[in-house]
Amino acid sequence: MLSHHNQQSNRIDIPTAYEKNTIELPFWQAVLLCYDEIADEIFKLREQREKCTVDTAARDARIARINELQDFIKQQPAHLEAFDEALVKRWLERIIVWENHFTVELKSGLKIDIER
């Protein structure tokens, strides 16, 4: 029962048709459902974009930290003859001792498991 057509584009003039009550309610329900689906998709895409932005920033920070550590490593002598506290503070995040091995975690995020 769609009687209000725009002759130039062969489209329904929805506001005019609605004002004159020539469009049935199920049509409007379908339009609203489509609108809701599109709006939901837009919100999902915005959330994904925000997450990607955060992930990219975290990745960039991690890469910068790795580059900083690599530069620091290049400046160090090849053989350590004594404990270097500055080196440990700069590189080491933590050491986890397990029953049969331990895990060394560097500040760059690298984890190294060492068997006993």
Side-chain angles (χ1 to χ4, degrees):
M1 181 169 194
L2 303 174
S3 61
H4 292 279
H5 289 277
N6 182 329
Q7 296 298 327
Q8 293 173 344
S9 66
N10 201 19
R11 290 181 151 190
I12 300 168
D13 184 4
I14 292 176
T16 303
Y18 180 70
E19 289 169 10
K20 296 185 179 187
N21 292 322
T22 57
I23 297 178
E24 296 176 10
L25 187 58
F27 173 80
W28 279 107
Q29 288 173 336
V31 169
L32 289 175
L33 285 174
C34 289
Y35 173 82
D36 287 344
E37 289 175 12
I38 292 169
D40 288 345
E41 187 65 23
I42 288 170
F43 286 122
K44 286 178 190 174
L45 291 171
R46 284 181 182 163
E47 288 174 4
Q48 288 176 356
R49 180 181 64 196
E50 185 177 321
K51 184 181 181 310
C52 287
T53 301
V54 169
D55 291 347
T56 299
R59 186 196 70 223
D60 290 348
R62 193 171 189 189
I63 288 171
R65 180 70 178 142
I66 290 170
N67 289 336
E68 181 183 319
L69 287 171
Q70 286 176 333
D71 292 342
F72 182 76
I73 290 169
K74 289 176 187 174
Q75 296 171 359
Q76 299 305 308
H79 298 286
L80 294 177
E81 296 178 9
F83 178 78
D84 187 342
E85 187 173 346
L87 185 66
V88 171
K89 285 182 178 181
R90 183 146 187 154
W91 283 9
L92 190 62
E93 181 69 30
R94 70 177 142 230
I95 298 173
I96 303 171
V97 179
W98 304 96
E99 190 173 312
N100 58 353
H101 71 283
F102 57 98
T103 302
V104 177
E105 293 183 18
L106 302 180
K107 289 186 178 179
S108 67
L110 179 67
K111 294 179 182 181
I112 304 165
D113 287 324
I114 301 172
E115 301 295 324
R116 288 188 180 195

